[in-house]
Amino acid sequence: MVADPARSPADTAATGTCHHCGEALPAQPHLAAQGGVTQAFCCHGCAAAAEWIASADLDGYYRLRSANAARVGEDLPDLAVWDRTDVQAEHSRQIAGGREITLLTDGMRCAACAWLIDRALAREPGVIDCGANAVTGRIRIAWDPARTALSAPLRRLAMLGYRPYLAGSEAAERQRTRERRRWLLRLGIAGLGMLQAMMLAEALYLDFNSTMPVPTRDFFRWLTFLLCTPVVFYSGWPFLSGAMRELRERRLGMDVLIASSTLLAYLASLLETIRGGPHVWYDAAVMFVFLLLAARMLEQRARSVASAQVDALARARPAFATRELADGRRESVPLAALDVGDVACVAAGEAVPADGVLLGDGDGDDEAWFEEALLTGESAPVRKQPGEPVYAGTVCRERPARLRVALTGTATRLSQLARLVEQAQEHRPALARLADRIGSRFVLALLPVALVVFAGWWHYQPERALEVTLALLVISCPCALSLSVPAALATAHGALARIGLLAVRADAMDTLARATDIVFDKTGTLSDGRPVLATTQVLDARLDAATALDIAAALERDSGHPLAAAFLRDATGTLPAGQVEAVPGRGVQGVVDGRQWRLGRADFAAAREDDGALWLGDGQHATARFVLEERARDDAAQALAALRAQGLRVHLASGDGQAAVQRMAAMLGLEDAHARQSPEDKLELVRRLQAEGRVVAMVGDGLNDAPVLAGADVSIAMGEGASLAHRAADLVTTGGGLRRIPAAIALARATQRIIRQNLAWATGYNLLALPLAAAGWVTPWLAALGMALSSLIVTLNALRLARLKPPMETS
């Protein structure tokens, strides 16, 4: 939409939108003259921005733009924290005449925004240079600290609606850039050297009748030697250093064989050049290095698919936060300065700095929306009410929010997920370790075979003995075998993280792919975790319903069970509870007002026959009876249907009463449902299925699920469940949606197919290549080409997993 600067107030009122940002106008809009025409604005901030744009003769912005500007708002952020030396030291760099920093903003929505930012910043005193990129949302500012503080041009940006935030550590970004450039330089030098060496080698190969003069031949050889040397020792340094490391560790791996083959071709060619022998193999050495570098870079690309999630999680946390003081004033502080109990303020479009609880602002419209896609995979913003948790790294949308800080630093959910992803990337599953052992033993067996082949050819045709042996070593290098499993697993872990599941145990993906049965807990897993108190029946005349609810809420408050929310929501007071103890599968007990209470099953709390309700009593006498109702998750039915379509048998095992379990089973079409299951009962169910030869996956979230999660073949803990369940699980979901589970199973099965394909190809290739090379039918350069292409094939096949889009819609 292109704005018309000549709209009249009547036109503006008719459209009902702000002249600057296009948002809906309030009942009494701000009116301001722009170019002789009165325009309407949604807030004073947008009016001030438009006034400055007009006074700076930049009102062509409104004619050029193809999208509305971002809303400026009434309160601009405190940007003084950007002038701190520690912030600038980490996120900016020294340049000639000053410093330079790269920022991000999500308000830059079209090329006209970049045009406006460039010209607005260029007018700021002390700004040396600037550049805005509307595609990436990045703004580069170079300024002279002696003439202006960084906060001055940033205030101009914020005043125009482009609130800045950090793009990440400048030092870390420079390190990644240097490493990437170093690898590209190695590959470029190897490619250039290979092309030139191949052209010179072609001239030597085409001299079939040896008519080339010896000085010309030697000139070509020495020239090829000069081209080959930087390729072998600079481009090939990663393989040489890797070989030295493997030898220091007293093991034989791929790098030992690669370095040995490369140096053998290089040194043998140098020796033949010096003594004027009939053959040189410089071209094989440089081709070997170039093609292996290309394969290694593709392998790194596969691994970066997985590490991208860690990078995204690390970038999600802002560098500083806005803290509200006791007198209502606000200050910007580094994130490390936030403490538990502080009140943090988050502007619309900014990331939440810490885990906390949403606070109301007292204006009657306390709800807020947060974009949680990075943490949970939820595609749409999630609505939060005061009292509900919000997480670091999620983005506040639509309107500002306030939260009471509960967890900071490494204790936040964001940091925990980042650690889980890193652990998943470091795993060496049994299949990968097996492939490494096979590759190492293959190298160990190949060396005596190479000696036998060399001896045989020396006896039969001495002039070809070195050439054939070199070709054998090169073509039989089991790089593809060693890459087949790690490349697939690295790509799969990245794809799994994007789905919203993190593997925190080795071999989790392999076992998940073989699962035949899946057992679900009910409360907080298949249900939405928000039970509603349907009826309250008081059986003791000395208590009223409100007091009974307060006692139940006091007992449940610290239990961590999903049912606690139902009592806390309806409780009218806050009673202290002591000596609270959860009895798995039965209930909770503790002391309230000096009296011992129990809340749970009827036979536990009131010495009565279990009827599926929750009872309050002292263990012998009943005081109150509560009936709670649960709703299934919105995506539970679709997830279970998808699992059945994948051939899995679905079971329900819950500690709740028969009536509640049967109601949930009927709602979801489950035939095999088990009620009143203690942790031991659930574990026994899993053991029975395993005794039948079934591979069992367990999905749960509560404390009492930990034993069965540990006992199942593979287990999945829901992301909002108890931390003990996470420690017992093999995989953890980063959100509550269930449809990510069938998606993960589809991905795990695809990974197994890719691994089997890779292993079959690598094994078949080596079995075929070995006799061909030993028979002398393969030249060294052709051997290098075949070996590298084999590695490229398995890597590209693994990268297919990154493009796999299993049918999943996160709720």
Side-chain angles (χ1 to χ4, degrees):
M1 180 180 72
V2 179
D4 182 3
R7 289 185 302 176
S8 67
D11 295 333
T12 305
T15 60
T17 57
C18 174
H19 173 64
H20 181 71
C21 69
E23 292 197 6
L25 292 172
Q28 294 183 342
H30 296 259
L31 300 177
Q34 299 291 321
V37 178
T38 301
Q39 301 287 1
F41 300 91
C42 65
C43 63
H44 176 72
C46 285
E51 182 180 357
W52 186 89
I53 290 172
S55 65
D57 198 25
L58 295 175
D59 49 356
Y61 160 72
Y62 292 109
R63 294 191 304 271
L64 296 172
R65 68 180 183 175
S66 57
N68 289 319
R71 186 174 186 270
V72 178
E74 302 286 351
D75 300 321
L76 295 181
D78 178 13
L79 299 170
V81 70
W82 290 81
D83 297 328
R84 293 172 59 108
T85 54
D86 54 348
V87 172
Q88 292 188 9
E90 181 180 0
H91 297 281
S92 68
R93 66 188 184 94
Q94 192 76 33
I95 61 170
R99 300 190 68 84
E100 184 179 78
I101 191 170
T102 300
L103 313 171
L104 288 175
T105 180
D106 58 0
M108 191 164 27
R109 297 169 178 172
C110 65
C113 292
W115 176 87
L116 176 64
I117 290 171
D118 284 343
R119 282 152 182 79
L121 290 178
R123 295 166 186 261
E124 291 295 308
V127 173
I128 302 170
D129 190 21
C130 59
N133 189 320
V135 177
T136 63
R138 291 177 177 255
I139 304 171
R140 180 183 53 82
I141 303 175
W143 81 102
D144 182 1
R147 296 175 55 201
T148 183
L150 176 60
S151 57
L154 296 189
R155 272 194 292 272
R156 178 65 63 204
L157 282 176
M159 187 272 286
L160 294 174
Y162 306 105
R163 296 199 177 197
Y165 56 97
L166 292 173
S169 170
E170 184 71 19
E173 188 67 29
R174 286 201 302 270
Q175 178 62 30
R176 283 194 294 267
T177 301
R178 281 197 299 268
E179 185 67 18
R180 186 165 54 248
R181 288 176 178 171
R182 188 180 299 118
W183 274 89
L184 287 174
L185 181 60
R186 292 186 197 278
L187 185 66
I189 290 175
L192 185 62
M194 182 191 71
L195 291 175
Q196 299 300 321
M198 291 294 290
M199 286 192 296
L200 293 170
E202 184 179 7
L204 296 174
Y205 286 141
L206 293 177
D207 184 25
F208 298 116
N209 300 319
S210 300
T211 57
M212 181 183 293
V214 172
T216 304
R217 183 200 68 183
D218 289 345
F219 172 74
F220 280 0
R221 288 182 174 181
W222 283 111
L223 189 57
T224 310
F225 164 76
L226 294 176
L227 291 168
C228 183
T229 300
V231 174
V232 171
F233 293 102
Y234 175 72
S235 298
W237 178 249
F239 307 116
L240 299 178
S241 61
M244 289 187 288
R245 183 172 58 254
E246 289 176 351
L247 291 174
R248 283 196 302 268
E249 296 170 357
R250 297 184 176 182
R251 65 185 180 90
L252 293 176
M254 293 307 99
D255 285 343
V256 168
L257 193 54
I258 292 169
S260 300
S261 302
T262 304
L263 291 175
L264 178 61
Y266 174 80
L267 295 175
S269 299
L270 177 60
L271 179 63
E272 291 293 289
T273 300
I274 294 173
R275 70 183 186 90
H279 298 291
V280 292
W281 306 277
Y282 292 118
D283 55 326
V286 292
M287 180 181 287
F288 199 34
V289 171
F290 172 77
L291 294 174
L292 277 173
L293 271 178
R296 186 68 60 90
M297 289 186 71
L298 267 179
E299 179 196 359
Q300 290 177 344
R301 166 72 178 87
R303 294 185 183 278
S304 70
V305 171
S307 63
Q309 186 76 1
V310 176
D311 294 341
L313 290 171
R315 289 193 298 268
R317 202 170 69 154
F320 33 75
T322 301
R323 181 167 59 190
E324 184 176 279
L325 303 178
D327 59 4
R329 292 183 298 111
R330 297 180 178 183
E331 62 174 354
S332 289
V333 296
L335 211 58
L338 272 186
D339 293 320
V340 174
D342 285 348
V343 175
C345 304
V346 187
E350 291 185 355
V352 177
D355 288 3
V357 176
L358 185 66
L359 299 176
D361 55 16
D363 63 359
D365 187 19
D366 293 337
E367 71 176 22
W369 294 81
F370 294 88
E371 188 176 290
E372 298 184 346
L374 186 62
L375 269 71
T376 68
E378 307 292 342
S379 57
V382 178
R383 184 175 66 179
K384 300 278 186 175
Q385 300 286 352
E388 293 188 324
V390 292
Y391 302 107
T394 60
V395 178
C396 181
R397 291 297 182 197
E398 309 302 334
R399 59 189 302 271
R402 298 166 64 248
L403 65 135
R404 178 80 62 184
V405 175
L407 296 171
T408 63
T410 57
T412 63
R413 185 176 181 183
L414 178 71
S415 298
Q416 292 171 355
L417 290 179
R419 284 197 302 274
L420 288 175
V421 177
E422 289 168 353
Q423 292 169 9
Q425 292 175 286
E426 293 168 359
H427 281 159
R428 295 292 295 165
L431 196 57
R433 294 193 298 271
L434 176 62
D436 284 346
R437 286 197 300 270
I438 293 174
S440 181
R441 291 173 182 173
F442 186 87
V443 172
L444 188 62
L446 184 61
L447 296 178
V449 171
L451 291 175
V452 171
V453 170
F454 178 81
W457 276 91
W458 183 265
H459 177 74
Y460 169 67
Q461 197 173 348
E463 66 277 8
R464 294 200 61 199
L466 188 59
E467 176 186 347
V468 172
T469 305
L470 178 61
L472 175 71
L473 289 173
V474 171
I475 202 169
S476 301
C477 181
C479 297
L481 182 63
S482 291
L483 284 175
S484 57
V485 178
L489 289 177
T491 310
H493 278 301
L496 191 70
R498 288 196 303 275
I499 287 173
L501 264 141
L502 304 177
V504 295
R505 293 280 193 276
D507 304 314
M509 291 283 282
D510 176 60
T511 312
L512 187 63
R514 295 184 288 106
T516 60
D517 292 67
I518 186 163
V519 179
F520 282 93
D521 179 43
K522 181 177 72 70
T523 304
T525 302
L526 287 178
S527 69
D528 60 7
R530 294 188 291 273
V532 177
L533 187 59
T535 60
T536 300
Q537 180 184 2
V538 178
L539 306 174
D540 189 335
R542 292 171 295 179
L543 291 179
D544 57 17
T547 304
L549 271 174
D550 290 344
I551 295 171
L555 291 172
E556 286 280 14
R557 184 175 294 113
D558 299 321
S559 69
H561 195 276
L563 295 179
F567 293 100
L568 294 173
R569 189 182 302 118
D570 295 324
T572 58
T574 303
L575 295 177
Q579 303 176 30
V580 177
E581 178 187 359
V583 182
R586 306 194 70 191
V588 62
Q589 60 186 5
V591 177
V592 180
D593 275 348
R595 183 177 172 184
Q596 184 75 29
W597 292 97
R598 289 185 176 185
L599 177 69
R601 291 169 48 164
D603 55 355
F604 169 71
R608 297 194 178 193
E609 184 177 350
D610 180 29
D611 62 351
L614 280 179
W615 290 74
L616 177 68
D618 58 7
Q620 297 298 325
H621 305 93
T623 300
R625 178 178 179 271
F626 306 102
V627 177
L628 288 85
E629 294 181 353
E630 290 183 278
R631 295 172 299 177
R633 290 183 185 268
D634 294 338
D635 62 349
Q638 296 93 327
L640 297 184
L643 290 169
R644 294 190 194 95
Q646 290 173 329
L648 279 84
R649 283 169 34 186
V650 184
H651 312 264
L652 171 60
S654 173
D656 288 349
Q658 185 70 29
V661 171
Q662 287 301 324
R663 185 166 53 248
M664 181 66 68
M667 192 183 308
L668 298 176
L670 284 168
E671 297 180 359
D672 189 41
H674 305 265
R676 288 305 181 198
Q677 295 285 292
S678 67
E680 294 78 13
D681 294 333
K682 294 180 182 179
L683 187 57
E684 177 60 27
L685 170 63
V686 169
R687 295 280 189 247
R688 287 201 306 270
L689 292 171
Q690 290 171 333
E692 297 172 7
R694 316 292 293 181
V695 178
V696 182
M698 173 69 194
V699 184
D701 77 325
L703 283 168
N704 60 353
D705 292 325
V708 69
L709 287 171
D713 294 291
V714 62
S715 53
I716 303 171
M718 302 302 289
E720 63 275 337
S723 59
L724 179 59
H726 292 180
R727 289 196 293 271
D730 300 313
L731 300 103
V732 178
T733 70
T734 58
L738 288 174
R739 272 176 281 185
R740 53 178 48 90
I741 295 176
I745 292 175
L747 176 63
R749 291 176 176 178
T751 302
Q752 293 304 302
R753 287 195 301 271
I754 293 291
I755 289 175
R756 286 195 297 268
Q757 292 167 5
N758 283 354
L759 288 174
W761 166 260
T763 303
Y765 163 80
N766 279 284
L767 291 176
L768 179 63
L770 189 64
L772 290 177
W777 293 352
V778 181
T779 60
W781 71 265
L782 188 59
L785 181 62
M787 184 282 311
L789 286 178
S790 177
S791 299
L792 287 172
I793 286 172
V794 298
T795 304
L796 290 172
N797 193 38
L799 284 172
R800 290 170 50 211
L801 290 169
R803 299 191 299 273
L804 183 69
K805 297 189 182 301
M808 183 202 70
E809 300 174 8
T810 54
S811 62

